[in-house]
Amino acid sequence: MCLQCCGTCCVYLQEVSGLKCDQLLSSGQVLPRECVSGLVELAGNPNTNQTLTGSIISLLAKLACDDDSREILNSSYNLTSTLASVIHCHSATAGEPLVLQCLQVLQKLTYNTRVFQSTNYIHELIAFLMTNIQSQNEDIIMPCLGLMANLCRDNHSVQSHIKSLDNVKRFYRTLINFLAHNSLTVVIFTLSILASLTLNEKVGEKLFDAKNIHQTFQLVFNIIVNGNGTQTRKYSVDLLIDLLKNPKIADHLTKYQHFSACVSQVLGLLQSKDPDSAGKVLELLLAMCSVSGLRSLLCEVVFRPAAPKLRAVSRRQGTGLDGGRKTESGLALVQWLSSPVDGAESCSLQALQLLNELLESVSECVLSFIEMLLPVLLGLLRGLDPSQGDAHIRKHCHRITHVTSLLYTHSHHLFHPLCFISFLSVLFRCFLRDLLSSLCLYLISQDQRIVTPLSLALTSQHRERVQTGLSLLFEATPLPDFPSLVLGESMAANNAYCQREAELSVKRVAVQEVPPFSILDCSSGSSRSVHSLVDKIQNGLEVKCVRVCWGKILLSCISKESRLQDLLDAKALALSQADRLIAQYRFQRAQAEAEACKLGCLLKEAERRREDLQGELSSQVLEVERSKADMEELLQHNARLQQDSEEHQALKGAYNSLLNRFNESERLLKELQTAHISLTKQNDTLRKNHEALQLQRELEETVDVLRKELNKTEQARKDASIKASSLELQKSQLETKLKQKEDELNKHSSMIAMIHSLSSGKLKSDVNLSL
């Protein structure tokens, strides 16, 4: 495709993107669907210019403006596979704008939508997401995390595929590191992925254990209340709903001490006018009602603070809600309950389901709330406007079904049973009659055949018919496709016809007063009557007869003129009807030409596809011939394989016999090994006994030696004892001698002392020296 054509296509796509495309795909029109199919095919072509591909993706993102369109783009056009293929083709340059654009559109398409593992390029897309989540590029991490959270949520096949990969532990570590990220959106995306992948595993038990779960609750509630965007709030609500599916975590939430305060702040979001935020809040409250321990706590938060004001409201007239009463959560819930069907249908139905869950418990505050709620519910049963179309009627009937279910389920709160039965009988008799009559009127009013009886009733002389026709006209005029112009023309024609009939009746009465002649005779030959009258005048007849004849002639002419006028009016009416039919024919012809043009385009497309299919068919024929040749080769190869199989069977038999012999030998070996082990044990026992005996013989020899030494020692001891006895004797003898010597010494000492005292110091020193 040349650059000029690409530029022109981009300009056209930008102009189309500026148009309003709401519910274009879900309208059922053929031409838009064919255009979208061509655009998706062009975007998936790798040879398409990137600028043109980006413009096409922008237009497709604008078309995916509601849930029905997203479902059609996923199921009918396989847009998810197409965008995944575009990402796969440009995976080497992950940071370019086209890849980021595809990731954002995929995140929008896959939200609350299950993507099957059999989808084309889904494995490549998961690998791309895991690789870029672990990269350092901050611009691509957030869209990759959001898309991964969508793919993993409630999708066991994708979860199993991710868990089977080799680098899943590294991926878990990266996700856990993201929990400390400064962006709350990244944290919520990460928690959502971890909850989907690891909630029932050991990693999830550690992440969401009793120590961490209260911090997680506080974080999620803070993001729901103070989040800076609808997207972050949506994913936060989805995360909390997924966590509540785990019984342990739900039990932890019932014990969370700040639960009432957090829920009160969440209920404050119902006071906003954003249906998306209110819808997610109501979805979260419905999920909390599924936990038995949370329902009673939630009922206290919703109803008890509003009880004093609700009693005052129930005494006032009407059911409208002013600004001051919107501050209470129960009143805000009723506000969404009574919201219009168009635009906030899901919020109204979710509010009805939530009330159906909360009204299970009976208390004074609940009864006060019911006193105010009952007139609102009865008001929802009215207000059906058939002029809004089939879609409006369908939505209104759907809400009426939920309202009646709520009234019937909680009849023990609203009425005594007998009173409630009578109430329902009256309600269904008044309301269903109006509903059925409105539906019948809506269908009949679009039929052209209603014009004739309605115009006759409106121009009738009977009072009852006119009143019935007027009431029917009053009800049918606001409806679409009502033939009001045709009805006016028909009524004008009926009035003109009645007026002419009245005039003719007066003239007939005047003619009948002349007895001699009849109008038929005069009218049968007016020219002949004129000539006869001239002859009579010429012949001198009486003037009276002439006047009578001229009167008859004039009456005949007047009658003919009135009849001609009637014919002219009838022709004019027929001409106007013919003009209207011609206009309708031209309009239908234009539609037929447009359809023929579409069919021509479709025929050309079919011819092109037929040529393509013809080429594919020829290629398939060649492929079949090649397949036949391959089949022959396969048959030959099969014969060789059969021969190899026979040889294999023979070898298998030999192998089995050898295997049996081997098993027998192995059995004998095991027996011999067992015998060897037992003999080895016996040998060890004998060796130990031998060593013990040898040790005992050594010990006996040692004992003999020691015994001999002991005898020698005993003999030496005896000798030493004898010697000691002799030494004792010698000692006593020596002691006796020593004592004698001491006595002698003492004597000598005393003598020396006497000498010393008698002699001088010199003598004393000599004595000392001698001593």
Side-chain angles (χ1 to χ4, degrees), residues 18 41 114 215 273 284 300 303 353 403 434 486 488 568 690 763:
E41 183 178 357
R114 180 173 297 180
Q215 297 178 359
K273 296 182 179 180
L284 176 60
E300 293 178 0
F303 294 133
Q353 294 174 3
V403 172
D434 295 339
V486 181
L568 287 175
H690 176 69
L763 181 60

Side-chain angles (χ1 to χ4, degrees), residues 648-673:
H648 174 71
Q649 291 295 332
L651 293 174
K652 189 176 181 180
Y655 169 76
N656 290 331
S657 61
L658 291 174
L659 183 62
N660 293 330
R661 293 174 58 188
F662 172 75
N663 291 332
E664 183 67 21
S665 300
E666 188 175 9
R667 185 181 61 80
L668 294 174
L669 177 62
K670 288 181 179 180
E671 292 178 356
L672 292 174
Q673 286 177 348

Side-chain angles (χ1 to χ4, degrees), residues 145-216:
L145 285 172
L147 180 55
M148 180 65 81
N150 292 345
L151 294 178
C152 293
R153 189 177 184 227
D154 294 333
N155 197 330
H156 297 291
S157 59
V158 173
Q159 295 173 9
S160 301
H161 174 70
I162 294 175
K163 293 177 184 178
S164 64
L165 297 177
D166 296 333
N167 58 344
V168 65
K169 293 184 178 180
R170 180 185 173 189
F171 181 61
Y172 285 166
R173 287 193 293 268
T174 305
L175 292 177
I176 293 173
N177 292 332
F178 279 142
L179 295 178
H181 202 274
N182 55 3
S183 174
L184 294 179
T185 306
V186 172
V187 174
I188 287 299
F189 287 162
T190 304
L191 285 174
S192 179
I193 298 172
L194 289 173
S196 299
L197 294 176
T198 67
L199 188 59
N200 297 318
E201 297 181 355
K202 293 183 179 180
V203 178
E205 291 178 357
K206 293 180 180 178
L207 284 174
F208 302 103
D209 59 357
K211 298 180 181 179
N212 299 327
I213 193 63
H214 288 263
Q215 297 178 359
T216 305

Side-chain angles (χ1 to χ4, degrees), residues 568-678:
L568 287 175
D569 293 338
K571 291 295 183 181
L573 179 61
L575 183 61
S576 64
Q577 292 178 352
D579 291 337
R580 186 172 64 254
L581 291 175
I582 289 172
Q584 293 178 355
Y585 168 72
R586 288 176 179 172
F587 178 71
Q588 293 176 357
R589 181 179 178 183
Q591 287 183 339
E593 289 178 354
E595 292 292 334
C597 183
K598 293 180 184 178
L599 292 175
C601 296
L602 293 175
L603 182 61
K604 291 180 181 179
E605 183 68 20
E607 288 292 332
R608 185 182 64 81
R609 291 184 179 180
R610 185 186 64 80
E611 293 176 358
D612 296 339
L613 292 174
Q614 187 68 29
E616 292 180 2
L617 180 61
S618 60
S619 63
Q620 292 293 333
V621 170
L622 293 176
E623 191 68 25
V624 167
E625 293 178 356
R626 293 175 184 172
S627 300
K628 288 182 179 179
D630 294 339
M631 185 65 69
E632 292 178 358
E633 293 180 358
L634 289 174
L635 289 175
Q636 295 176 359
H637 183 64
N638 189 20
R640 291 194 298 269
L641 289 177
Q642 187 69 26
Q643 184 178 0
D644 294 339
S645 176
E646 293 176 356
E647 294 178 357
H648 174 71
Q649 291 295 332
L651 293 174
K652 189 176 181 180
Y655 169 76
N656 290 331
S657 61
L658 291 174
L659 183 62
N660 293 330
R661 293 174 58 188
F662 172 75
N663 291 332
E664 183 67 21
S665 300
E666 188 175 9
R667 185 181 61 80
L668 294 174
L669 177 62
K670 288 181 179 180
E671 292 178 356
L672 292 174
Q673 286 177 348
T674 304
H676 174 71
I677 291 171
S678 62

Side-chain angles (χ1 to χ4, degrees), residues 392-412:
H392 176 82
I393 294 176
R394 191 180 302 110
K395 293 178 182 178
H396 193 81
C397 293
H398 192 196
R399 184 165 71 174
I400 286 172
T401 303
H402 283 78
V403 172
T404 52
S405 175
L406 175 63
L407 291 171
Y408 180 76
T409 303
H410 302 287
S411 59
H412 57 285

Side-chain angles (χ1 to χ4, degrees), residues 264-534:
S264 299
Q265 294 177 355
V266 171
L267 287 170
L269 298 175
L270 292 177
Q271 300 171 16
S272 66
K273 296 182 179 180
D274 184 14
D276 294 333
S277 298
K280 296 306 292 185
V281 170
L282 293 172
E283 184 180 354
L284 176 60
L285 296 177
L286 283 172
M288 289 180 178
C289 288
S290 62
V291 181
S292 59
L294 296 177
R295 183 182 299 174
S296 58
L297 299 175
L298 191 62
C299 189
E300 293 178 0
V301 176
V302 172
F303 294 133
R304 284 192 178 177
K309 291 189 176 181
L310 290 177
R311 296 193 190 95
V313 170
S314 62
R315 298 189 186 98
R316 299 175 186 175
Q317 58 181 6
T319 58
L321 302 177
D322 58 13
R325 279 176 268 174
K326 289 182 181 178
T327 57
E328 302 295 346
S329 56
L331 296 175
L333 191 61
V334 174
Q335 181 186 13
W336 285 107
L337 175 67
S338 57
S339 59
V341 175
D342 296 329
E345 178 193 6
S346 60
C347 294
S348 179
L349 297 180
Q350 285 175 333
L352 284 169
Q353 294 174 3
L354 181 61
L355 287 175
N356 197 8
E357 295 288 339
L358 294 178
L359 292 177
E360 291 291 337
S361 59
V362 181
S363 61
E364 183 180 358
C365 59
V366 174
L367 294 178
S368 301
F369 183 81
I370 291 174
E371 292 178 5
M372 187 273 298
L373 179 64
L374 184 58
V376 179
L377 294 178
L378 294 179
L380 294 178
L381 296 176
R382 309 186 192 96
L384 180 63
D385 188 5
S387 63
Q388 299 293 329
D390 294 339
H392 176 82
I393 294 176
R394 191 180 302 110
K395 293 178 182 178
H396 193 81
C397 293
H398 192 196
R399 184 165 71 174
I400 286 172
T401 303
H402 283 78
V403 172
T404 52
S405 175
L406 175 63
L407 291 171
Y408 180 76
T409 303
H410 302 287
S411 59
H412 57 285
H413 296 168
L414 302 175
F415 304 106
H416 189 272
L418 296 178
C419 297
F420 183 72
I421 292 173
S422 61
F423 163 75
L424 281 183
S425 63
V426 174
L427 175 66
F428 280 104
R429 184 170 63 248
C430 301
F431 172 73
L432 288 182
R433 184 180 64 188
D434 295 339
L435 178 62
L436 292 176
S437 62
S438 300
L439 291 175
C440 294
L441 178 62
Y442 176 72
L443 296 175
I444 294 173
S445 63
Q446 296 178 347
D447 196 344
Q448 297 284 342
R449 292 176 294 180
I450 196 177
V451 173
T452 301
L454 185 57
S455 62
L456 291 175
L458 292 173
T459 58
S460 175
Q461 297 179 356
H462 299 283
R463 181 186 303 171
E464 294 80 3
R465 294 181 182 178
V466 176
Q467 292 177 352
T468 305
L470 286 174
S471 62
L472 183 61
L473 180 65
F474 178 76
E475 294 289 339
T477 301
L479 298 177
D481 300 332
F482 180 72
S484 56
L485 295 177
V486 181
L487 177 62
E489 294 176 358
S490 179
M491 290 177 63
N494 289 338
N495 290 331
Y497 180 76
C498 293
Q499 185 178 1
R500 286 192 296 273
E501 284 292 330
E503 293 175 356
L504 289 176
S505 63
V506 173
K507 294 176 182 178
R508 289 192 187 98
V509 171
V511 171
Q512 288 176 359
E513 292 178 354
V514 183
F517 298 95
S518 65
I519 297 177
L520 183 60
D521 295 334
C522 294
S523 63
S524 62
S526 59
S527 60
R528 187 173 65 249
S529 299
V530 173
H531 289 294
S532 63
L533 287 173
V534 172

